[in-house]
Amino acid sequence: ADIPVIPDLEDVQEEDLAMQVAAPPSVQVNRVLTYHDLDKDLLKYAAFQTLDWEVDLKLLTKVLAPEHELQEDDVTWDWDHLFTEVSSELVTEWDLGQLERED
C-alpha cells in the first residue's frame, strides 16, 4: 500500500533561491483627480450642489476660490531669519505700546 511519507530535509535537494525573484504584487491604482477636474465636475453635476438632498450648497459653490488663487509658492524657512523678524516686530510693538502709555 502506498503510504505517503514525509521526506527528510537531508533527502530534499537544496534549491538555489539567490537567483529567484518574487513576482511583484498587483495593486489597483486609482487616478487622483486634479483641482481642475473637480472644478469642472462641481459645475457640471447638480448632485454636488446639494448635501444629502437636503442642504443646498449652490451659494457655497458660487463663492469658492479658483485653483490659481489657492496655489502658493514654496518658501524655505530659515530659523535665524524668522526669529530675528518676529522678535524685531515684537520689540517694535512693545515700544509703540510704551509710547502710547506715556501719552
Side-chain angles (χ1 to χ4, degrees), residues 5-15:
V5 179
I6 298 174
D8 291 333
L9 289 177
E10 297 163 353
D11 296 339
V12 177
Q13 186 181 27
E14 291 185 23
E15 296 180 26

Side-chain angles (χ1 to χ4, degrees), residues 7-61:
D8 291 333
L9 289 177
E10 297 163 353
D11 296 339
V12 177
Q13 186 181 27
E14 291 185 23
E15 296 180 26
D16 183 21
L17 298 178
M19 298 305 292
Q20 293 182 2
V21 178
S26 61
V27 177
Q28 180 181 1
V29 178
N30 294 331
R31 187 176 77 87
V32 177
L33 295 175
T34 63
Y35 283 119
H36 183 67
D37 295 337
L38 291 173
D39 285 341
K40 285 195 301 189
D41 288 345
L42 188 65
L43 297 174
K44 188 188 320 181
Y45 300 111
F48 292 121
Q49 296 180 356
T50 59
L51 180 64
D52 294 333
W53 301 107
E54 296 177 8
V55 179
D56 188 13
L57 300 175
K58 290 177 187 173
L59 181 61
L60 176 65
T61 57

Side-chain angles (χ1 to χ4, degrees), residues 53-98:
W53 301 107
E54 296 177 8
V55 179
D56 188 13
L57 300 175
K58 290 177 187 173
L59 181 61
L60 176 65
T61 57
K62 289 180 183 178
V63 296
L64 286 176
E67 177 187 4
H68 67 274
E69 290 181 11
L70 300 175
Q71 296 296 329
E72 295 181 357
D73 295 332
D74 291 335
V75 178
T76 56
W77 289 3
D78 178 30
W79 170 252
D80 295 329
H81 178 72
L82 282 175
F83 182 77
T84 305
E85 185 178 333
V86 170
S87 61
S88 67
E89 287 179 13
L90 289 174
V91 168
T92 304
E93 288 178 12
W94 185 76
D95 288 341
L96 290 174
Q98 290 294 332

